[in-house]
Amino acid sequence: MPSLNERLSSVLPKDETFKVLHLQSFPRKAPNILKDNASKNTLTIKSLHWINLVQDNVMIFGMEVYVYIILNQANNFDNPQPITKLLYISKVDSTGLNTTKIKFTLVSQEVLRHLIGINVTHYTDHFLDPSLIDDSDPQPTVRKRLRDLAAHYDHHTKSYDLPEKDITVCSLASNTHLIGKPVVVEISLFTRAEKQYLFPYSYRNLNKHVLSDRDLLSWWLYLLNKLVVDNTVFSKLIHSTLTIPGEDKMAIDRFIHKYNTPGKKVWGLGGIYDDQGDKSQLAVFQIPLFPDDPKGRFLEHLVTENRIKKVSTGQFWSELAVRQEFRLSNIVGIIHIKGLSSGQETFQPRQNEYQDIANLNANDVFNDLGTVIVNGDHSTNKYPQKSTGVNEPPIDKDYQATLNNNKYPQGITVLKLKISEFATSGIKINNFTDDMIILTNKRLKYLKDLITSEEYDSSESARESFKNLDYLLAKSCRYQYAQNNKNLQKGFKKMCGKMEYSERVQSDKKSIEVSPVQQLSTMKKGKKRVILTSVQQ
């Protein structure tokens, strides 16, 4: 699969230099996005992708996408239910500070193509389970921290020899029941016109094109339709739907009819997860919950009103239309796409450059990693052989009891590792020199908050923001481990554009910049006819 840098360079202006930052949070078990009865047997793994594009050390584009891997773990995952890979597009924004013309429609498409193409095993091979994290002392006092430092101070080397903590990592790499399962890809999106999403004060830049609510919805439909009809992205389309709370069917159809032909209907009307037409089911069991989502906020409002088990999906959409986000005649679209990915129609083990957990037996893990591997019913009583020749239990009884009391499902491998042992089992974190940098949730949130709290109303302020981020990124990813190799790039990866930007104009005048809605069709200017070959945000 092409790297993100290769994809982006193919749609960026030729001979122009850019930098790309792709951050990802380490996958972790998360609450289920649906609260139906089937959720009791559902395992949800969540990860955040954060992508930034930089030109001349100025941030010009950003995208935030949450990826959910949803598996049915009934009967130790040996069931006919497919694996779902859901992409929730949270935010996309630009600063308007780019010095050359850039087609952000194509940039957004390539980012989504890349995320859709990432193998599901990228998330399931290693993930954290918060319920297995030792939080017995989550916030030690300053006095306790100082005592720990003093206890591990080496007077000879004049340094602190702090012991590494054990980190519990879960894995599905050795689960053979998942092999061959169909992988269904879903895309969910909520469109709401705002002056800015990720870059504060960027709306003050004259070159930033702030779209209206109708233009934004049309822009997203144009962008996503290119992916929907592309058989290199979706080998089979199950459905793609649009709903606009508060609008009738005719008003909604005006946005999608241009993409439907008499012989092939690509887009339909409907809400997320109620495409079967049954609007009598309870909304709480049908509506998914996503971060910073007005649908989720409305469900929380129904809980406070004690109506959560009384409101059907049909009533939910009707009441949602009068919520604050949907009032004042604003057009707010909810888009849902579902299909089979061309890159991975079925679940297949990933071949790593590292030794794969799936190819290890318990003895290999004990001897190579010096850790414990707990499979199935966790009844193993074999301990790793230490270099001292003494058989010692690798985990304490309390930890073993916790696993048994939680009835941790069979088919999931549980490892207790130290950070220094991550590379041996193929786990990447703080991988500063790779195209995709995987961080802990805490570190990624810290960097994300930094980006979204800076000012981007001018090139000077944006350039200062970039310097702050570049410095803190290096510090956060422990760049000192790679400093000796001068050929290694920092977190921002450089690349050069390869695309010739051309416009076909049937007049003596130069083409003008217009909104995405206008660019979707041929425009008339008096008797002269202007045709633009692509869409630019």
Side-chain angles (χ1 to χ4, degrees):
M1 186 182 77
S3 67
L4 179 60
N5 287 14
E6 293 171 339
R7 290 183 180 275
L8 292 180
S9 63
S10 66
V11 297
L12 290 171
K14 187 176 180 180
D15 298 331
E16 293 288 338
T17 302
F18 299 88
K19 295 179 182 178
V20 178
L21 176 66
H22 183 184
L23 303 178
Q24 180 203 329
S25 65
F26 197 92
R28 61 192 291 132
K29 182 180 178 182
N32 298 323
I33 60 173
L34 285 176
K35 303 302 181 183
D36 56 356
N37 294 329
S39 64
K40 297 178 181 178
N41 291 321
T42 299
L43 171 63
T44 301
I45 301 173
K46 174 183 174 183
S47 183
L48 169 63
H49 288 266
W50 180 278
I51 296 96
N52 285 120
L53 184 64
V54 175
Q55 183 183 29
D56 296 333
N57 290 343
V58 172
M59 208 86 70
I60 60 174
F61 173 84
M63 178 179 281
E64 180 184 48
V65 180
Y66 289 88
V67 175
Y68 297 85
I69 307 300
I70 304 172
L71 308 98
N72 189 311
Q73 56 189 7
N75 196 26
N76 303 334
F77 298 91
D78 186 10
N79 57 74
Q81 295 298 319
I83 300 172
T84 299
K85 177 182 177 181
L86 191 154
L87 277 70
Y88 172 62
I89 306 174
S90 177
K91 297 179 180 68
V92 177
D93 198 8
S94 62
T95 61
L97 296 174
N98 46 299
T99 57
T100 56
K101 177 184 176 183
I102 298 176
K103 300 173 182 177
F104 288 119
T105 304
L106 300 180
V107 172
S108 302
Q109 285 177 350
E110 292 305 315
V111 171
L112 293 177
R113 288 177 194 270
H114 182 74
L115 296 181
I116 292 173
I118 294 177
N119 198 300
V120 170
T121 55
H122 175 76
Y123 307 95
T124 59
D125 275 0
H126 309 105
F127 62 95
L128 300 176
D129 185 346
S131 66
L132 300 181
I133 297 177
D134 181 14
D135 57 353
S136 58
D137 193 11
Q139 292 183 339
T141 62
V142 175
R143 184 186 296 272
K144 185 178 184 302
R145 289 177 183 269
L146 293 175
R147 281 201 302 264
D148 290 341
L149 286 174
H152 294 92
Y153 181 73
D154 190 335
H155 293 277
H156 297 287
T157 61
K158 296 183 179 181
S159 62
Y160 295 95
D161 185 18
L162 295 175
E164 286 190 89
K165 292 184 178 180
D166 286 328
I167 298 178
T168 304
V169 181
C170 301
S171 175
L172 292 173
S174 59
N175 192 316
T176 57
H177 295 311
L178 296 177
I179 299 177
K181 273 181 173 284
V183 177
V184 177
V185 175
E186 299 184 14
I187 301 176
S188 292
L189 172 66
F190 169 79
T191 70
R192 177 179 55 189
E194 297 285 354
K195 296 185 295 184
Q196 60 194 27
Y197 298 96
L198 299 174
F199 304 112
Y201 304 107
S202 59
Y203 68 91
R204 297 176 180 174
N205 299 320
L206 297 179
N207 291 331
K208 178 169 182 174
H209 191 179
V210 180
L211 298 178
S212 65
D213 50 358
R214 292 178 179 273
D215 289 351
L216 180 65
L217 177 56
S218 297
W219 183 80
W220 271 113
L221 288 171
Y222 175 86
L223 186 157
L224 293 174
N225 185 70
K226 289 289 186 179
L227 302 180
V228 166
V229 299
D230 189 347
N231 56 15
T232 65
V233 179
F234 288 100
S235 61
K236 179 183 178 181
L237 181 66
I238 299 176
H239 74 240
S240 50
T241 60
L242 168 67
T243 186
I244 304 176
E247 296 288 337
D248 56 34
K249 293 183 178 180
M250 292 185 62
I252 301 175
D253 189 62
R254 292 192 189 101
F255 287 91
I256 59 177
H257 78 277
K258 66 184 74 174
Y259 305 116
N260 294 328
T261 61
K264 185 177 182 181
K265 185 178 180 181
V266 178
W267 289 85
L269 308 180
I272 298 180
Y273 294 105
D274 63 356
D275 56 293
Q276 302 300 323
D278 185 5
K279 297 185 180 297
S280 63
Q281 301 183 52
L282 290 178
V284 65
F285 298 140
Q286 300 296 316
I287 307 299
L289 299 175
F290 299 119
D292 191 24
D293 183 17
K295 304 188 307 300
R297 289 193 290 271
F298 184 41
L299 286 175
E300 294 174 355
H301 181 70
L302 294 178
V303 172
T304 59
E305 292 183 346
N306 199 24
R307 295 196 300 137
I308 191 64
K309 294 187 177 181
K310 300 178 182 178
V311 177
S312 64
T313 56
Q315 185 180 355
F316 176 87
W317 294 118
S318 298
E319 293 191 22
L320 186 66
V322 298
R323 296 281 293 172
Q324 182 177 358
E325 289 93 342
F326 301 86
R327 291 188 304 183
L328 303 176
S329 301
N330 290 332
I331 298 295
V332 178
I334 301 175
I335 302 173
H336 185 225
I337 299 171
K338 186 176 183 179
L340 296 179
S341 171
S342 298
Q344 187 187 18
E345 292 188 2
T346 60
F347 184 95
Q348 298 296 334
R350 179 176 50 160
Q351 296 299 322
N352 282 337
E353 58 185 347
Y354 299 96
Q355 192 175 18
D356 199 354
I357 289 181
N359 299 324
L360 298 176
N361 57 43
N363 289 331
D364 292 329
V365 177
F366 290 151
N367 295 332
D368 295 343
L369 303 183
T371 58
V372 63
I373 180 171
V374 185
N375 277 306
D377 60 0
H378 315 288
S379 59
T380 177
N381 56 4
K382 191 169 185 178
Y383 299 134
Q385 187 74 20
K386 301 291 184 179
S387 58
T388 58
V390 180
N391 259 355
E392 297 177 355
I395 57 177
D396 55 36
K397 296 180 180 179
D398 293 338
Y399 181 76
Q400 184 73 53
T402 300
L403 291 176
N404 292 332
N405 291 338
N406 289 343
K407 297 181 179 180
Y408 211 69
Q410 296 185 6
I412 298 180
T413 302
V414 180
L415 300 170
K416 290 198 77 174
L417 303 173
K418 301 183 185 300
I419 291 290
S420 59
E421 300 166 337
F422 272 23
T424 311
S425 57
I427 304 177
K428 290 187 176 183
I429 193 165
N430 296 336
N431 50 326
F432 199 46
T433 58
D434 291 355
D435 289 338
M436 182 191 302
I437 304 173
I438 302 176
L439 302 173
T440 62
N441 279 13
K442 184 177 181 180
R443 292 192 180 193
L444 180 52
K445 183 179 183 302
Y446 172 71
L447 295 174
K448 171 185 166 183
D449 291 344
L450 172 69
I451 296 173
T452 56
S453 62
E454 298 279 359
E455 296 184 1
Y456 300 87
D457 56 348
S458 66
S459 298
E460 291 74 18
S461 60
R463 192 169 286 110
E464 188 67 26
S465 302
F466 171 79
K467 290 181 181 179
N468 295 337
L469 175 62
D470 195 34
Y471 169 78
L472 292 175
L473 178 64
K475 184 178 179 182
S476 181
C477 292
R478 301 173 183 176
Y479 184 57
Q480 60 267 24
Y481 294 138
Q483 274 183 337
N484 294 331
N485 191 339
K486 296 181 180 180
N487 295 324
L488 296 178
Q489 298 185 42
K490 290 187 177 182
F492 287 89
K493 304 301 183 297
K494 291 182 180 180
M495 64 178 177
C496 192
K498 300 178 181 179
M499 184 178 182
E500 292 277 4
Y501 274 45
S502 61
E503 294 178 344
R504 186 161 48 91
V505 184
Q506 295 181 352
S507 69
D508 295 331
K509 295 184 178 181
K510 295 182 178 180
S511 60
I512 58 175
E513 293 186 7
V514 290
S515 69
V517 175
Q518 292 172 306
Q519 293 176 357
L520 297 178
S521 60
T522 301
M523 300 178 298
K524 293 183 179 180
K525 288 289 184 179
K527 295 183 179 180
K528 296 181 180 180
R529 197 173 179 84
V530 181
I531 302 176
L532 299 183
T533 58
S534 60
V535 176
Q536 178 186 6
Q537 186 183 19

